[in-house]
Amino acid sequence: MFIAKAVAAALLATSFGGLATATPGTEAAYENKAKIESMRAACMKEQGLAYLPEKVIKRDRTKDERARLAGDHEAMRAYRAKYGFGVWSRLVFPGDPAVDRDMGESRNDKLLMSLSAKDLKAWRAADDKCFAKAVKTVLGKTVTSQDDFLADVNSALAKGLRELDADAKVAALGKEFGGCLKVAETRPSVLAGRGRATFAKEATEVARAQSKGSLPKGAVVLPRLTPEQAKPYLDKEVTAALADLECGKAFYPAYAPRARAIEERVYQEFALDFAL
């Protein structure tokens, strides 16, 4: 089972991700993320609990990937024809570097799945306290838990993207896009993440049925399925992704680069290495 590393569903849905090379702000975010993970592990150890610091992965996007993430129609079409929105493709093409990497396997997944319900509850409570302590020390931000932290992330993203939603040109393109999709919600920020959010939710619901228990609040979880079992889900996702792209042919080139600039600032502020 893959559990997105500290990714709220809303954040995952809006993320475009990726730069050619790291900016100074991005490098600082990588460093801060590493500090947070190190402090988190040390804090858990002091309480006699195990925690493996999550690896800090520095992004190095290819030319084609950067074109796609900037809204280039042909690059987006080539990707979506095989990978859809990048959700079910992770199970159908495991290890494929072209698959979006925002939903990474946590180093602590095996540990968490080995714990009893009582021990898991205690572990999560301790980890939330350690995480909050590390975030306060490194970023100067006051949070009570990972859920609280992610709520702050999404609030900051939403605030920035609302400004883009209010842009007259982008808003007009959003109305055209939404009309083509035959959906009532035409805010650009919602439309941009609509497809991926839909299939991320679907995958999480399948995982929830498998787990026969609660899943981390706000997490996007991929179920335990073989590539063959996941393929029908991906086929449906590919069809939807191509239809979405055709409707958004004029929208994505205008929206994606500006949304990315907003998101990058937020990711740097909150030291989210997976999103840079």
Side-chain angles (χ1 to χ4, degrees):
M1 181 180 295
F2 293 101
I3 301 178
K5 295 186 290 185
V7 187
L11 175 60
L12 178 66
T14 59
S15 177
F16 284 90
L19 291 174
T21 55
T23 64
T26 298
E27 285 293 349
Y30 288 142
E31 292 173 4
N32 286 337
K33 175 62 185 291
K35 291 177 183 177
I36 289 172
E37 287 299 303
S38 178
M39 292 185 64
R40 190 174 175 183
C43 176
M44 291 290 277
K45 185 177 181 180
E46 289 175 358
Q47 300 178 69
L49 297 172
Y51 178 82
L52 295 174
E54 298 292 354
K55 295 179 180 179
V56 177
I57 302 173
K58 296 188 176 183
R59 304 302 174 190
D60 184 16
R61 309 291 183 174
T62 66
K63 180 179 179 180
D64 288 343
E65 187 177 14
R66 294 197 303 274
R68 170 175 65 83
L69 297 170
D72 179 83
H73 181 76
E74 292 306 316
M76 290 182 73
R77 180 171 177 77
Y79 177 90
R80 291 191 179 196
K82 182 175 181 179
Y83 303 108
F85 292 107
V87 179
W88 286 104
S89 53
R90 184 170 177 83
L91 294 179
V92 177
F93 306 109
D96 189 325
V99 177
D100 280 359
R101 291 160 286 184
D102 294 335
M103 290 191 294
E105 183 178 17
S106 169
R107 298 181 70 197
N108 293 282
D109 281 354
K110 290 183 180 180
L111 166 64
L112 300 188
M113 295 185 69
S114 72
L115 298 176
S116 66
K118 180 180 179 181
D119 288 343
L120 178 60
K121 183 177 181 180
W123 188 96
R124 290 196 183 284
D127 183 44
D128 272 338
K129 290 181 180 179
C130 288
F131 176 78
K133 181 180 178 180
V135 167
K136 179 65 175 179
T137 301
V138 178
L139 301 180
K141 296 183 179 297
T142 301
V143 297
T144 59
S145 65
Q146 292 179 75
D147 288 342
D148 188 30
F149 179 79
L150 292 171
D152 287 350
V153 172
N154 285 324
S155 177
L157 280 170
K159 180 179 179 181
L161 293 176
R162 277 197 299 271
E163 298 175 5
L164 187 51
D165 286 343
D167 182 275
K169 179 180 178 181
V170 175
L173 290 171
K175 288 183 179 179
E176 293 178 8
F177 186 13
C180 179
L181 291 174
K182 295 181 172 57
V183 297
E185 177 60 84
T186 61
R187 279 178 295 170
S189 60
V190 176
L191 287 173
R194 174 180 173 274
R196 192 169 186 184
T198 296
F199 288 94
K201 180 180 179 180
E202 178 185 58
T204 300
E205 288 306 310
V206 174
R208 192 181 305 280
Q210 283 185 343
S211 69
K212 298 180 182 179
S214 62
L215 295 176
K217 182 180 178 182
V220 172
V221 183
L222 295 182
R224 295 182 297 273
L225 296 179
T226 65
E228 292 74 23
Q229 290 172 326
K231 185 63 163 56
Y233 291 102
L234 176 58
D235 289 342
K236 184 173 67 171
E237 183 183 343
V238 165
T239 298
L242 291 175
D244 174 276
L245 179 60
E246 190 58 34
C247 283
K249 192 171 184 177
F251 170 82
Y252 284 112
Y255 179 85
R258 295 178 63 183
R260 174 57 199 167
I262 292 168
E263 291 168 350
E264 183 189 355
R265 290 196 297 271
V266 173
Y267 298 147
Q268 291 176 348
E269 178 186 349
F270 287 87
L272 301 179
D273 70 299
F274 59 83
L276 293 165

